[in-house]
Amino acid sequence: ASRRVRTSAPHARTRVDVHDAHAIAMGKANIAMYHPGSAGSFVKVVMVNFMCHHHLTVELGPRINYIVGENGSGKSAVLTALTVALGAKAKSVGRSSTKSVKGMIKSGTQQAKLTVVISNDGEDAFMPATYGRTIIIEKVLAKVGANSLKIKNAQGETIGTKSDELARITDHFAIDVDNPIVVMTQDMAKQFLNSGDDGKKYEFFLRATLLQAVQERATIAKNSVDEMKMVLDEHNENIPVLKKNIEALQHELNAFERVEQLRSKSIDFRRRYAWSKITQMERKLAEERGKLAKYQDEKAKLIEQISKLEKARDDAKKQKDIFQGQHDEYMAKVTTTAAERRAIEAEYKEAARQLQKVKTDQLTEETKIKQLSKKTKDAETKIQRVVDMQKGETTQVEANIQRFNQAMVQAKADVTQCEQHIEQLESTRQNSKRESTVCAQRHRGIEAGIDNIRKQIATLKSTSSNKLVLYHSKMPALVDAIERRRGDFSKPPLGPVGTHITLKNQEWVTPVEECLSGVMNSFVVATPQDMDKVRKLAQECGVPNVNVVCVNFNRQRYNIPSERVPNPSQFTTVMSVIECTHDVIFNLCVDQCQIENSVLLKDEGPAVALFNSNEAKVKNIGSIYTPLRKIFSSGNTTRNEAFKNMNTARKLGADSKSQIKQFEARIKEEQENAKRASAAQVAASKAVKDVESALVKAQDDLKKLISAAHDARRALEQAKSDAEDTSAAGYDVSALQDELDSLNAELITHRSSLAEIERECEEKQKAYDDAKNALAEKQALGESFKEHARELTNNLSAATDLSVSTAKSIARKEEQLRDADPIIALAEQTVAAMHEEIETCAEQTTAICTRSEAVEAGDINIEPEKLLRMYENSKEQMRTEEQRHKRPFEEISDELSFESRKLAKLDSGFGRSMKLYGQLRKGVKARQKQVQVRATEISKIVSHRFNYYMSKKGHSGRVLVDFKDATLSLEVKDGEKGKSVKDMRSMSGGERSYSTLAFNLSLGDTNESPFSAMDEFDVFMDAVNRKVSIDSLLKFARKHVDKQFIFITPQDISAVDANAEDIKIMKMAPARVDA
């Protein structure tokens, strides 16, 4: 064997051919050789009887080292020797057939020796004062017995022999030979290449990035914290036990003092017991006196109630007599009015029959006049044609005919003018009659209003007993019926609604009631079934057409936003001046009456202006109520309407007397209005008579004008007769004129007859209208009297019922008063007897102790039986305590002191420990979170670096790490084909090898070890992949200038520059075959 050495500089890299025999000869000298490098890098490895080597020394450069040689030459043994010497586990080495490092001892020998020299130079040196510039690790492997370890300094002195000291050194230099990314053996490389298990790849990733160790430490920390919590819980459970023991000891210690305390307490109980009996008797005496006072008060109340009931009975009788008289008076009016109505009804029927007959005659005459008018016009046309034929002759006769014809035309015009005047008078008469009818109706309306006001006054006077009569005379009975059957409803009905509303300002009572008129008399229920029940009760009680509304009782009061209502600083709304006792009532008023948008104003002008300018809509105003009118918008029209219920008693009015005065004043006003309406009716009737007189005169004038027209016609006829003799044409006009005259005469006759019939028709129409109006007036008056009679009947019935019920109440109260006298007498006797007994007992008890002494001893108002039991118990406890002293006082006191100190220490330590536990638990959680964040960051970095190295071949790649499912997969995308591959087994051998190398380099960026070794990194690679791989490895190694690299390969590395200063190539001799 031979060795060729070429040195070009002090640190030149040497290419060496090594033979075993030569290495044995040079071994001792080589141990002392030193090559400076980064702290933690390897200077030299010496193997004796290890694997296939008898004795081999390998010197390593501080940067990039290539160990090459044929298969079987022992290349991998160098890497195995490094890892075994530094304490690698057998499974990490993966070279032993016996699952133990003992299997690595050379066959035929009993032990093997490994020596590794580590650089300890620079700032990161480990204990340089002790070890010097190198640290020597010697490990002896023995087939029999234990292995041995020596750790020496640079001078060869042994510093340590324990594996813990070796671990300190490797931890200091961050050397982890079990980490596959630090030492990638050929078995591990082949396993990774051929593995399709993403879980094992994930484990490889965790080990390579040291995340596995970090996670294991985090788990250990969590388990330690959990164990600490269990211990603290155990201590916490012991604290109550200690407290209980201390309490028992304290009780036992106090027993010595309790005997005297119990004796004193027993005496106090005896004194209190003696006086408690007297106190009990005094309480009973006070109760009896209270009963006596109560009986006397009840008697006085009965006397007062009887007095009030008698007054109410007398008032009811007076009211009954008044209602009876009024009822009889109105019943007489009803009878009289009915008879008058029947008589007027007969006249009305006769007038209707005669009017119909006259109208029939009028229609007949009008038809005849139309026919005659047509014939007259035809005759005049014929005569005109004849006259036109004789126009050539101008004689005196023709002039006469023309003059008489003009006179006849003038007479006809006068008749027409008179007829028009008659028509005007007729129209004036009809208008005057209508005015008279309107005045009569207005007068009757005012009288009816006065009657209604009187009814409202009577209603207000009756509200002194019950205000519900304002809603209906039978409303109290309906409300009582609903209250009695309260349990029949799902929820008690509310009503009338007006009784649940209070008006804050009486100034607005009229417009507010007008706004709420739709709901004031209504009842509110929760279900449709309750609605039917209320309506049925209303029918039974005589309240017809009651309005019942079904609402949601569970809904809370509406919260109306401020932007939906008028500005409260500018406008007063109905909602702001009322108070509702129930949310349901408030919601109903909002839904049906829009109280939140109804504004109250005193003047109509500003109200109308708000709607005309469309400001009302902008300011959320729906309607405006003035004291007498309602202004609102309907489409594009502003409506201004008077209130419908002006003459009704105000249900929300606070003072009925004030309303009565207002109604009485209104009666006087209406009576004045009635007088004015009556005067207007008289004036209208006089105007009718005046017009009728003028009409009669005009009709007489018409008759005279018609007669003058007849005279003019006769003169014309005579002139025409004279003209017949001078007619040159020989036409006979006289026959035509006779026919025309006959028609005119008949027409005048029928017109005169028609005028007579029209006058008769007018008279009959007037008689018919008068009879109709009189009948309507009598009917309205009769109905008014009937309504008054019905109201009085109801009032009379109510007064009778009140009188009867009051009499019954008086009888019942008088009977109770008679029963009260013996009860009061018995109570007085009982009080006197108890007072005497108390005085006697007090004299006897004073012999035991005074009352003040008993009070000082404690409460003497407790029941005597209870104090007696307490007295007996105290005596029994005293006897028991006297028998309990089994241990000396000092023994109990010492034990109590010891247990108390123990408890105080445990309490204090537990608190501090719990605080520390909280801090540790928080720290563990923070560490776990940091581990997760760091793991995610590392996975991203590795994936990015993997893509970088794959791009060297024109590919792209990703490292997909799933921490949840604990899997890792590599995804490689071919740059030319564009196809992605996730299963490495589907790649070619070279592609798998390069992908594995790229993955290892990606992981190498995350490792801080001072060296990195790869065995057969280029297995299965072709020349192209190997070239790219070697270039990538060299770039990676040269990027990490503070790290030592060892690459082992059986392949040709001629592409590597052996002359580079940072590269050292060592070629192993081929394996020798022994004979």
Side-chain angles (χ1 to χ4, degrees):
S2 63
R3 184 179 66 177
R4 296 184 296 275
V5 180
R6 182 175 60 192
T7 302
S8 59
H11 300 293
R13 299 300 176 252
T14 305
R15 180 170 178 174
V16 182
D17 291 341
V18 183
H19 189 271
D20 284 356
H22 180 74
I24 293 173
M26 298 296 294
K28 293 183 179 181
N30 288 338
I31 291 177
M33 293 181 65
Y34 170 72
H35 296 282
S38 299
S41 62
F42 300 112
V43 177
K44 181 166 52 177
V45 180
V46 179
M47 297 169 283
V48 177
N49 295 328
F50 183 73
M51 296 181 69
C52 64
H53 299 290
H54 176 62
H55 192 292
L56 176 66
T57 299
V58 178
E59 295 181 0
L60 299 171
R63 290 289 290 118
I64 304 171
N65 297 273
Y66 281 94
I67 300 177
V68 299
E70 298 177 357
N71 289 332
S73 61
K75 305 182 301 298
S76 299
V78 178
L79 186 58
T80 303
L82 278 173
T83 58
V84 171
L86 295 178
K89 300 173 184 177
K91 66 176 182 178
S92 299
V93 176
R95 301 287 295 179
S96 175
S97 60
T98 61
K99 298 183 179 180
S100 172
V101 293
K102 295 182 183 293
M104 300 178 187
I105 300 173
K106 186 174 176 61
S107 179
T109 62
Q110 294 300 313
Q111 65 178 19
K113 182 178 180 181
L114 303 175
T115 304
V116 176
V117 181
I118 302 175
S119 175
N120 194 35
D121 202 8
E123 295 179 355
D124 294 334
F126 178 73
M127 298 174 64
T130 302
Y131 287 97
R133 301 182 68 183
T134 59
I135 299 174
I136 302 172
I137 310 298
E138 288 186 358
K139 192 165 188 177
V140 177
L141 309 178
K143 285 189 176 181
V144 179
N147 301 330
S148 63
L149 172 68
K150 289 182 181 181
I151 305 173
K152 300 179 179 181
N153 60 13
Q155 287 74 33
E157 299 171 351
T158 301
I159 304 301
T161 59
K162 295 182 179 179
S163 58
D164 291 343
E165 296 173 347
L166 176 62
R168 287 179 60 201
I169 295 172
T170 56
D171 287 344
H172 176 79
F173 292 129
I175 297 173
D176 183 8
V177 293
D178 290 324
N179 190 335
I181 203 61
V182 175
V183 179
M184 172 67 80
T185 65
Q186 57 178 297
D187 291 341
M188 196 175 297
K190 292 176 181 178
Q191 181 182 1
F192 189 84
L193 287 171
N194 297 319
S195 175
D197 189 347
D198 291 345
K200 290 184 179 180
K201 293 177 184 176
Y202 178 77
E203 293 176 0
F204 181 87
F205 170 77
L206 293 183
R207 288 171 58 196
T209 56
L210 301 181
L211 288 174
Q212 185 177 30
V214 173
Q215 290 178 348
E216 289 174 353
R217 289 171 185 159
T219 302
I220 291 172
K222 182 179 181 303
N223 293 339
S224 298
V225 172
D226 293 342
E227 290 175 3
M228 180 180 180
K229 183 64 169 61
M230 292 173 62
V231 173
L232 289 173
D233 290 342
E234 183 178 353
H235 285 315
N236 193 32
E237 292 174 359
N238 291 334
I239 290 175
V241 177
L242 277 174
K243 288 182 178 180
K244 187 174 182 182
N245 292 340
I246 292 171
E247 185 178 352
L249 289 169
Q250 186 66 50
H251 181 72
E252 188 174 359
L253 189 65
N254 294 338
F256 290 93
E257 302 174 1
R258 293 190 62 192
V259 174
E260 291 302 323
Q261 294 175 354
L262 290 172
R263 182 176 287 107
S264 176
K265 188 180 293 186
S266 177
I267 295 171
D268 290 342
F269 282 143
R270 183 171 178 271
R271 291 176 177 178
R272 292 167 62 192
Y273 169 65
W275 280 98
S276 67
K277 292 191 291 185
I278 296 176
T279 305
Q280 186 183 47
M281 295 170 65
E282 289 174 347
R283 287 198 298 270
K284 291 182 179 178
L285 175 60
E287 291 177 0
E288 291 299 327
R289 284 176 174 168
K291 290 180 181 178
L292 176 59
K294 180 181 177 183
Y295 295 150
Q296 291 172 343
D297 290 343
E298 289 178 352
K299 180 179 178 181
K301 290 179 180 177
L302 284 172
I303 294 172
E304 183 180 359
Q305 290 173 359
I306 289 171
S307 176
K308 290 181 179 179
L309 288 170
E310 288 175 345
K311 183 178 182 304
R313 179 189 61 190
D314 295 340
D315 292 342
K317 286 181 179 180
K318 291 178 182 178
Q319 196 172 22
K320 177 183 176 184
D321 295 339
I322 293 171
F323 287 149
Q324 185 65 54
Q326 292 177 349
H327 179 266
D328 295 342
E329 178 184 353
Y330 273 101
M331 288 305 296
K333 288 182 179 180
V334 169
T335 303
T336 303
T337 304
E340 292 174 353
R341 183 181 63 78
R342 286 192 294 273
I344 293 174
E345 188 174 3
E347 294 176 1
Y348 167 73
K349 291 180 179 178
E350 178 62 24
R353 186 185 64 77
Q354 292 181 3
L355 177 62
Q356 184 63 37
K357 179 178 178 303
V358 170
K359 285 185 176 181
T360 302
D361 295 342
Q362 181 183 8
L363 181 62
T364 302
E365 289 298 327
E366 287 175 350
T367 302
K368 288 181 180 180
I369 288 172
K370 287 180 181 179
Q371 294 173 351
L372 289 172
S373 296
K374 185 176 183 304
K375 291 180 180 180
T376 302
K377 187 175 181 180
D378 294 340
E380 288 175 349
T381 302
K382 291 181 181 179
I383 291 172
Q384 185 65 37
R385 285 198 300 269
V386 172
V387 170
D388 290 340
M389 293 174 62
Q390 297 175 351
K391 267 189 177 180
E393 299 177 3
T394 55
T395 61
Q396 185 65 34
V397 175
E398 290 176 347
N400 291 336
I401 291 174
Q402 185 175 4
R403 180 169 53 82
F404 289 137
N405 190 40
Q406 290 176 352
M408 187 184 69
V409 170
Q410 182 62 41
K412 287 183 178 180
D414 294 339
V415 170
T416 301
Q417 184 178 3
C418 186
E419 288 176 344
Q420 291 175 351
H421 179 60
I422 290 173
E423 288 179 357
Q424 291 176 354
L425 289 174
E426 183 65 29
S427 175
T428 302
R429 185 182 72 165
Q430 294 295 333
N431 292 336
S432 298
K433 287 176 68 176
R434 280 195 295 272
E435 180 66 22
S436 177
T437 302
V438 169
C439 291
Q441 291 175 349
R442 184 183 303 116
H443 182 264
R444 288 194 297 272
I446 293 172
E447 290 293 338
I450 293 173
D451 291 340
N452 183 50
I453 293 173
R454 289 196 177 101
K455 287 167 58 179
Q456 298 300 321
I457 291 174
T459 302
L460 285 170
K461 289 181 178 179
S462 64
T463 58
S464 58
S465 58
N466 196 329
K467 282 194 173 184
L468 289 172
V469 297
L470 289 171
Y471 298 88
H472 194 276
S473 60
K474 296 295 184 180
M475 188 61 73
L478 174 58
V479 173
D480 290 342
I482 291 174
E483 184 63 27
R484 287 195 303 271
R485 302 184 186 179
R486 186 184 185 92
D488 296 345
F489 299 93
S490 61
K491 287 185 180 294
L494 300 175
V497 168
T499 60
H500 296 276
I501 298 174
T502 305
L503 185 62
K504 299 178 183 178
N505 187 352
Q506 289 295 316
E507 178 186 5
W508 300 108
V509 62
T510 301
V512 168
E513 285 201 16
E514 182 70 19
C515 177
L516 301 176
S517 59
V519 299
M520 287 290 288
N521 291 9
S522 303
F523 281 80
V524 181
V525 297
T527 64
Q529 294 78 11
D530 292 348
M531 184 185 296
D532 295 338
K533 292 176 184 177
V534 171
R535 285 175 176 164
K536 185 176 180 182
L537 287 176
Q539 291 177 355
E540 294 175 357
C541 295
V543 183
N545 302 323
V546 64
N547 185 34
V548 186
V549 184
C550 184
V551 299
N552 184 1
F553 271 61
N554 296 322
R555 178 176 293 169
Q556 296 181 350
R557 181 181 291 244
Y558 291 150
N559 183 16
I560 302 175
S562 58
E563 62 270 13
R564 287 181 51 193
V565 299
N567 189 343
S569 62
Q570 291 181 310
F571 302 103
T572 300
T573 62
V574 175
M575 181 176 70
S576 66
V577 299
I578 65 172
E579 285 287 347
C580 299
T581 60
H582 200 288
D583 292 347
V584 170
I585 302 297
F586 177 82
N587 295 343
L588 179 68
C589 293
V590 171
D591 291 336
Q592 297 200 8
C593 303
Q594 291 77 47
I595 59 174
E596 76 281 13
N597 301 120
S598 299
V599 171
L600 302 171
L601 288 179
K602 292 184 178 180
D603 298 328
E604 291 182 29
V608 174
L610 282 171
F611 282 100
N612 289 340
S613 63
N614 204 28
E615 287 187 48
K617 184 176 181 181
V618 175
K619 296 183 177 181
N620 297 316
I621 299 175
S623 302
I624 298 179
Y625 292 86
T626 66
L628 297 175
R629 305 189 71 81
K630 175 183 178 182
I631 297 93
F632 60 99
S633 177
S634 177
N636 296 326
T637 306
T638 300
R639 302 281 297 276
N640 189 342
E641 297 181 353
F643 291 164
K644 299 177 182 178
N645 302 313
M646 286 297 296
N647 295 329
T648 57
R650 296 304 165 195
K651 303 176 179 66
L652 300 180
D655 186 7
S656 58
K657 293 182 180 180
S658 176
Q659 290 193 62
I660 291 172
K661 289 182 180 179
Q662 292 176 1
F663 278 134
E664 289 175 346
R666 193 172 297 167
I667 286 176
K668 292 180 181 179
E669 293 177 3
E670 292 298 324
Q671 286 174 344
E672 292 297 325
N673 292 334
K675 289 179 182 178
R676 287 193 289 271
S678 178
Q681 182 181 2
V682 171
S685 299
K686 182 177 180 303
V688 171
K689 291 180 181 179
D690 292 344
V691 171
E692 287 178 346
S693 299
L695 184 62
V696 171
K697 182 177 179 302
Q699 288 174 345
D700 292 340
D701 293 341
L702 178 63
K703 290 179 181 179
K704 293 177 181 179
L705 289 172
I706 291 173
S707 177
H710 289 169
D711 293 342
R713 182 178 294 281
R714 283 194 294 272
L716 178 62
E717 290 174 353
Q718 183 62 41
K720 290 180 179 180
S721 176
D722 295 340
E724 288 178 356
D725 298 334
T726 61
S727 177
Y731 293 105
D732 186 7
V733 182
S734 61
L736 295 174
Q737 189 63 47
D738 291 340
E739 182 182 358
L740 178 61
D741 293 341
S742 176
L743 290 173
N744 284 328
E746 187 177 359
L747 182 62
I748 291 171
T749 302
H750 282 290
R751 282 179 175 171
S752 176
S753 177
L754 177 61
E756 290 294 333
I757 291 173
E758 286 177 346
R759 284 194 295 274
E760 184 179 2
C761 183
E762 291 174 359
E763 293 174 357
K764 298 299 181 182
Q765 182 69 45
K766 180 177 181 303
Y768 172 77
D769 292 339
D770 292 342
K772 183 178 180 181
N773 292 334
L775 179 61
E777 184 176 354
K778 288 298 179 183
Q779 286 177 339
L781 186 61
E783 290 298 324
S784 175
F785 288 155
K786 286 181 181 179
E787 180 62 26
H788 277 289
R790 283 194 291 270
E791 291 288 338
L792 289 170
T793 301
N794 294 335
N795 294 337
L796 180 60
S797 176
T800 303
D801 294 342
L802 179 61
S803 178
V804 172
S805 63
T806 306
K808 290 181 180 179
S809 298
I810 291 172
R812 187 168 59 254
K813 297 295 182 182
E814 288 176 344
E815 183 179 358
Q816 293 175 0
L817 184 61
R818 288 192 297 272
D819 294 339
D821 291 333
I823 295 174
I824 293 173
L826 179 60
E828 290 174 344
Q829 293 175 4
T830 303
V831 168
M834 291 181 68
H835 182 70
E836 183 178 354
E837 183 182 2
I838 289 171
E839 289 181 348
T840 303
C841 291
E843 291 177 1
Q844 297 173 356
T845 307
T846 306
I848 300 174
C849 70
T850 63
R851 189 184 189 104
S852 59
E853 291 175 341
V855 172
E856 290 177 1
D859 188 4
I860 62 173
N861 293 316
I862 300 175
E863 294 296 328
E865 293 80 4
K866 185 175 181 181
L867 283 171
L868 179 60
R869 289 194 300 271
M870 295 166 70
Y871 170 62
E872 295 293 342
N873 290 337
S874 65
K875 290 199 301 182
E876 182 63 29
Q877 290 176 5
M878 185 174 63
R879 287 191 294 268
T880 303
E881 290 296 333
E882 288 174 346
Q883 298 171 1
R884 286 181 58 186
H885 302 303
K886 298 180 181 179
R887 294 196 299 169
F889 177 83
E890 292 76 9
E891 181 182 344
I892 298 171
S893 178
D894 291 343
E895 186 177 352
L896 176 61
S897 178
F898 173 75
E899 293 293 332
S900 298
R901 289 195 302 272
K902 185 177 178 180
L903 176 62
K905 183 178 179 182
L906 190 59
D907 273 338
S908 176
F910 179 77
R912 291 194 300 271
S913 299
M914 282 301 295
K915 184 177 181 181
L916 178 60
Y917 163 74
Q919 294 173 348
L920 291 174
R921 185 167 176 268
K922 184 177 180 181
V924 167
K925 287 186 176 179
R927 178 174 293 183
Q928 288 175 336
K929 185 176 181 180
Q930 290 175 356
V931 168
Q932 292 174 356
V933 172
R934 181 56 181 162
T936 303
E937 291 176 353
I938 290 174
S939 65
K940 292 179 180 178
I941 292 171
V942 170
S943 181
H944 174 73
R945 297 299 300 170
F946 180 71
N947 182 63
Y948 168 75
Y949 288 117
M950 292 306 299
S951 66
K952 299 295 182 181
K953 288 199 62 185
H955 301 331
S956 63
R958 288 195 302 168
V959 178
L960 306 175
V961 183
D962 189 336
F963 292 99
K964 182 178 180 181
D965 296 335
T967 60
L968 181 144
S969 61
L970 301 179
E971 180 180 344
V972 178
K973 186 175 182 181
D974 192 328
E976 295 181 359
K977 299 179 180 179
K979 180 179 179 183
S980 296
V981 178
K982 290 186 178 181
D983 189 356
M984 294 182 64
R985 293 175 296 181
S986 63
M987 299 180 183
S988 65
E991 294 293 340
R992 286 206 307 274
S993 297
Y994 183 78
S995 298
T996 302
L997 177 63
F999 181 59
N1000 288 339
L1001 294 179
S1002 302
L1003 292 172
D1005 283 337
T1006 65
N1007 190 273
E1008 297 180 357
S1009 175
F1011 84 99
S1012 178
M1014 292 186 184
D1015 190 2
E1016 297 192 6
F1017 62 87
D1018 51 355
V1019 66
F1020 306 131
M1021 289 187 186
D1022 54 19
V1024 176
N1025 285 323
R1026 187 176 299 108
K1027 175 68 170 60
V1028 175
S1029 298
I1030 291 174
D1031 290 343
S1032 297
L1033 281 172
L1034 285 175
K1035 288 181 180 180
F1036 180 81
R1038 285 171 173 158
K1039 175 183 175 183
H1040 298 80
V1041 296
D1042 58 344
K1043 185 178 290 191
Q1044 182 184 43
F1045 294 90
I1046 302 173
F1047 302 126
I1048 301 174
T1049 177
Q1051 306 295 337
D1052 179 24
I1053 59 169
S1054 57
V1056 177
D1057 182 8
N1059 295 321
E1061 292 184 356
D1062 57 350
I1063 296 177
K1064 183 176 182 179
I1065 300 175
M1066 290 158 284
K1067 184 174 182 181
M1068 302 296 290
R1072 186 172 57 205
V1073 181
D1074 297 330

